[in-house]
Amino acid sequence: MKLTWHRRQLHLRHPFNIARVNRSAETRKEVLLVRIEHESRVGWGEAAPIQYYHQSLDSAEAALARAAGLLGTSPFRLEEIHERLWKEIPDQSAAIAAVDGALHDLIGKLLGIPVWRMIGLSPERVPLTSFTIGIDDMDTIARKVREAEEYPILKIKVGTPDDETLLRTVRAAAPDKVLRVDANCGWTPENAIDRMRMVAGFRVEFIEQPIPAGNLEAVAVLRNASVAPLFADEDSVGEADVVRCAGKYDGINIKLSKCGGIRPALRMIHAARALGLKIMLGCMVETSVGIAAAAQIAPLVDYVDLDGHLLLADDPFEGIGGARGILTLNDDPGLGIRERTA
Ligand code: MG
């Protein structure tokens, strides 16, 4: 198997801001597109390294260079390959997710079937995806919400001193839509209850990561107030976190770049179900390659937030849909994506 990769610069439709990162007016994002070639077939994967988890394009590239020598000769030996990757590059989950995605794409193409079929899922069971509205000035937020008219579910980023004005602005532009709220660690154990009550007044479905990660006892206190269901994101990184979140949160947000791809995500989903946790599937700002990998397992989850590709002005791939929040698992072998021809 031959593994290669290249950096790809992407352009966002709008600057994207969240509570714990002050990125100002950044409208560009760089990812790594990974190719694994075997028996004249090519599998695609994507790495969107997350700085918050101490991963960068440089560290992911270094990890991929090592991963190239760890693949062995058969793409079907996923379990063995994962074992070697986690042993050699344990802190580079985004790079591992890219390899995992490319191997799944490749296996599907070698077998001539889509990945969702390979793992026994029903494509019509993919929940609608939410569409994310990042933090911005109120005029821009109102405009973004109007522009997002086709999407029935919005995920609103909060965690600012202006949260109430922000949600009022959103509700004025979208009185009847399903709203979900993500504080990205932006509240404190002291002010979170008040913030949660305020947010709940705007009829929200659930609240994601209200306070900084690592304080699960405080989360349990917030959850006991029964204001709205609470979902872990920054508190739910990989497999070991599922059991820690049980009984503290109502659900967890699984992202392939945090947990290392489809294979570990499946284990997290099964563990979460056994522990009575609801499951949301999330993403980074990334192309249809990364989104398609996550979408393959979307029939297994309760809530979907796979809109990374919808935020882009220049997605280099296509095949997964997303219009009106509807993601499509097609019948093409592998991840069901193809390079866009200009
Ligand atoms: Mg989040």
Side-chain angles (χ1 to χ4, degrees):
M1 280 184 277
K2 186 180 163 213
L3 184 152
T4 54
W5 69 88
H6 66 272
R7 288 190 183 205
R8 172 78 191 208
Q9 175 135 193
L10 307 168
H11 296 87
L12 286 84
R13 295 179 196 276
H14 292 287
F16 188 72
N17 291 303
I18 64 170
R20 62 174 165 68
V21 186
N22 188 2
R23 237 173 314 189
S24 68
E26 190 54 74
T27 54
R28 283 170 308 174
K29 161 98 195 225
E30 237 177 330
V31 296
L32 302 174
L33 291 175
V34 174
R35 273 172 59 110
I36 299 180
E37 216 177 311
H38 181 68
E39 292 177 355
S40 66
R41 296 261 166 49
V42 172
W44 284 100
E46 177 168 5
I50 313 174
Q51 224 169 27
Y52 179 77
Y53 302 112
H54 313 292
Q55 297 175 43
S56 63
L57 290 169
D58 288 340
S59 72
E61 286 191 308
L64 289 170
R66 291 183 67 185
L70 299 169
L71 296 181
T73 51
S74 168
F76 294 95
R77 299 189 173 214
L78 286 170
E79 196 68 29
E80 218 184 291
I81 296 169
H82 262 282
E83 273 173 27
R84 287 197 291 269
L85 294 174
W86 288 105
K87 189 159 168 266
E88 297 297 324
I89 47 171
D91 50 355
Q92 296 299 317
S93 57
I96 294 177
V99 174
D100 173 277
L103 287 172
H104 277 86
D105 193 29
L106 181 60
I107 289 170
K109 285 169 177 165
L110 289 165
L111 296 176
I113 59 168
V115 172
W116 56 263
R117 184 172 293 148
M118 199 168 83
I119 50 183
L121 305 181
S122 309
E124 69 281 358
R125 290 194 182 177
V126 178
L128 287 176
T129 180
S130 52
F131 183 84
T132 305
I133 306 290
I135 291 169
D136 227 309
D137 65 78
M138 298 308 154
D139 289 343
T140 310
I141 284 178
R143 196 182 77 238
K144 281 186 192 176
V145 172
R146 284 195 301 273
E147 282 176 17
E149 194 190 351
E150 69 177 288
Y151 301 106
I153 307 169
L154 298 180
K155 171 158 139 177
I156 312 299
K157 295 289 192 180
V158 298
T160 75
D162 297 326
D163 286 351
E164 192 166 356
T165 319
L166 195 158
L167 284 166
R168 195 173 298 120
T169 306
V170 171
R171 264 294 174 231
D176 301 317
K177 283 192 182 180
V178 174
L179 295 188
R180 300 168 182 168
V181 157
D182 186 359
N184 281 109
C185 312
W187 300 336
T188 66
E190 292 73 34
N191 72 17
I193 289 262
D194 284 345
R195 295 299 179 103
M196 285 162 52
R197 291 204 175 107
M198 179 278 290
V199 161
F202 289 93
R203 291 173 285 124
V204 301
E205 193 173 31
F206 56 75
I207 298 170
E208 204 178 311
Q209 197 65 42
I211 61 172
N215 197 347
L216 293 169
E217 294 313 316
V219 172
V221 173
L222 299 178
R223 180 173 177 243
N224 286 336
S226 296
V227 178
L230 297 180
F231 274 67
D233 183 359
E234 286 84 345
D235 262 323
S236 156
V237 182
E239 291 175 61
D241 297 309
V242 183
V243 72
R244 281 198 277 271
C245 288
K248 308 293 195 293
Y249 281 99
D250 296 283
I252 57 169
N253 183 348
I254 296 174
K255 295 179 183 168
L256 300 192
S257 31
K258 290 190 296 184
C259 73
I262 290 174
R263 199 162 181 86
L266 285 171
R267 286 198 288 265
M268 287 180 80
I269 289 170
H270 297 311
R273 285 281 176 237
L275 291 162
L277 287 160
K278 292 279 185 193
I279 301 154
M280 170 184 180
L281 197 54
C283 66
M284 306 309 297
V285 173
E286 54 192 312
T287 76
S288 285
V289 176
I291 298 298
Q296 302 301 313
I297 55 172
L300 287 170
V301 309
D302 305 295
Y303 304 102
V304 167
D305 179 35
L306 294 177
D307 64 343
H309 65 312
L310 302 173
L311 305 173
L312 298 177
D314 52 0
D315 188 349
F317 281 78
E318 62 187 349
I320 200 68
R324 302 188 311 286
I326 304 166
L327 296 168
T328 312
L329 293 178
N330 63 39
D331 284 319
D332 293 348
L335 298 179
I337 41 148
R338 57 197 169 265
E339 275 184 277
R340 229 181 253 273
T341 44

